Amino acid sequence: MSQFADFYQLIAKSPLSHWLNTLPAQLSEWEHTSLHGKFTQWFNAMEKLPTLTSARLDLLHGVSADSHPPLPVGQQSGIESLLRQLMPWCKGPFSLHGVTIDTEWRSDWKWERVVLHIAPLAGRLILDVGCGNGYHLWRMVGAGAQLAVGIDPMQVFYCQFTAVRKLLGGDLRAHLLPLGIEQLPELAAFDTVFSMGVLYHRRSPLDHLLQLKNQLVSGGELVLETLVIEGDQNQVLVPGERYAQMRNVYFIPSPAALIGWLEKCGFVNVRQVDMSVTNTDEQRRTTWMTSESLADFLHPDDPRLTIEGHPAPLRAVIVAEKP
Ligand SMILES: Nc1ncnc2c1ncn2[C@@H]1O[C@H](C[S@+](CC[C@H]([NH3+])C(=O)[O-])CC(=O)[O-])[C@@H](O)[C@H]1O
């Protein structure tokens, strides 16, 4: 039986029911083609984790779960070593039955910058595009979402998400589907769509904005978080081969230029609600992500620049509505 059967059941009678025309074929293709190489190792580690019931579950202030009485130390270290087989852990942190996953990013800080400025999530149907391992999906559930669906094509993130889901208790209102945004039909069904940390990875940013709009109900809200540069409505950085060592960064607009793109795509009530410099407390190497991190990507003589000499990472949150 498909790993996604419970999701199909869940959406059968929801505004997402027409997704069932395309989704099962895409996911069964994914299930048939992905079980090889590293994915098999990740999948096996994830499968070995127990499904636990939590005596205390907190998705409002963080992502944490505890057992009562606490799990025996031996079981905690067994869980930790399975979770470490799913490294690198970029997004978090998580505190799961005595195991703290100290991730590369303080994704909770991003969430705090975002959640203050958006329509309350209680009762909403939510899509998180490029959700990584789903850290923010849990925070959406904590904020009262009816259902939070994340999409991300990276296999390891699917395994990390499922591992966390098992340790939180299994049956929650967050689901991660291993898909790219380009695989989604125009669902026009979500009350809120998040795209955080994705736009600069898209070769065609206006098409990305239109794809996001096509997922929203009329009156729905887009929450867009992305790298920006300082400048006026005519300024957009198109880095050369790399930006902060990443090869897949294409367009970094000024907030004013980005607002112009959103209005050109037909969004209304477009506003910038936050801007912040990413620092090396928010993104850093840890024992759960041991390769290079932000400190290695900044210019050794001037932290206002990347190692290539571009402006260092500055991120904005923009909120907009579909009319
Ligand atoms: N075609 C695609 N469709 C959907 N997702 C994609 C695609 N291509 C890549 N991704 C995914 O987009 C995510 C971007 S990270 C942001 C994570 C989270 N949102 C965060 O805000 O912390 C970037 C960052 O941390 O800077 C990755 O997980 C990719 O696999």
Side-chain angles (χ1 to χ4, degrees), residues 11-252:
I11 65 169
K13 290 199 181 111
S14 81
L16 292 173
S17 59
H18 56 299
W19 203 356
L20 293 171
N21 296 333
T22 52
L23 187 61
Q26 285 173 323
L27 293 178
S28 98
E29 156 97 14
W30 180 83
E31 284 173 310
H32 283 111
T33 54
S34 54
L35 256 187
H36 58 80
K38 282 215 111 176
F39 184 68
T40 313
Q41 285 172 32
W42 295 323
F43 191 86
N44 289 340
M46 165 198 114
E47 286 280 277
K48 281 188 203 147
L49 282 163
T51 299
L52 297 177
T53 41
S54 303
R56 195 192 60 82
L57 181 65
D58 183 2
L59 302 176
L60 185 60
H61 307 98
V63 181
S64 69
D66 284 309
S67 314
H68 187 74
L71 297 185
V73 175
Q75 192 178 359
Q76 281 181 27
S77 53
I79 288 174
E80 174 161 348
S81 82
L82 288 168
L83 290 170
R84 284 192 184 274
Q85 289 177 36
L86 302 176
M87 281 170 58
W89 284 83
C90 299
K91 307 298 167 159
F94 299 93
S95 168
L96 302 165
H97 303 276
V99 180
T100 299
I101 307 180
D102 183 17
T103 49
E104 178 191 15
W105 282 85
R106 291 298 307 259
S107 308
D108 48 340
W109 295 3
K110 182 186 287 195
W111 185 245
E112 280 157 25
R113 289 196 294 269
V114 166
V115 74
L116 285 177
H117 305 288
I118 62 178
L121 297 180
R124 287 169 92 97
L125 202 52
I126 299 174
L127 176 69
D128 185 6
V129 174
C131 64
N133 67 18
Y135 174 83
H136 293 123
L137 295 175
W138 300 115
R139 301 302 302 270
M140 292 167 199
V141 170
Q146 184 196 331
L147 176 65
V149 181
I151 57 166
D152 200 295
M154 296 281 285
Q155 295 174 333
V156 70
F157 296 149
Y158 173 78
C159 295
Q160 291 179 356
F161 171 81
T162 309
V164 170
R165 181 170 225 260
K166 289 177 86 174
L167 298 175
L168 292 177
D171 180 25
L172 287 158
R173 286 163 292 153
H175 290 262
L176 187 152
L177 306 173
L179 299 174
I181 177 72
E182 59 288 347
Q183 290 174 275
L184 258 57
E186 298 182 6
L187 293 164
F190 293 97
D191 303 307
T192 305
V193 170
F194 289 84
S195 166
M196 302 195 287
V198 178
L199 186 78
Y200 49 89
H201 290 313
R202 304 306 294 162
R203 256 179 249 184
S204 181
L206 270 74
D207 286 338
H208 181 64
L209 299 178
L210 289 169
Q211 283 165 332
L212 299 171
K213 188 174 164 216
N214 291 336
Q215 306 308 326
L216 280 166
V217 291
S218 172
E221 186 170 83
L222 172 68
V223 182
L224 184 69
E225 192 266 358
T226 191
L227 287 173
V228 291
I229 52 165
E230 282 177 15
D232 65 22
Q233 72 275 22
N234 298 313
Q235 286 184 298
V236 180
L237 172 68
V238 182
E241 203 190 331
R242 290 179 188 235
Y243 174 87
Q245 294 285 52
M246 293 180 280
R247 287 182 191 278
N248 58 351
V249 173
Y250 299 100
F251 292 88
I252 307 184

Side-chain angles (χ1 to χ4, degrees), residues 298-318:
L298 295 177
H299 200 284
D301 303 325
D302 186 350
R304 291 169 305 170
L305 300 176
T306 68
I307 200 160
E308 303 84 7
H310 299 302
L314 173 68
R315 306 179 83 98
V317 181
I318 311 257

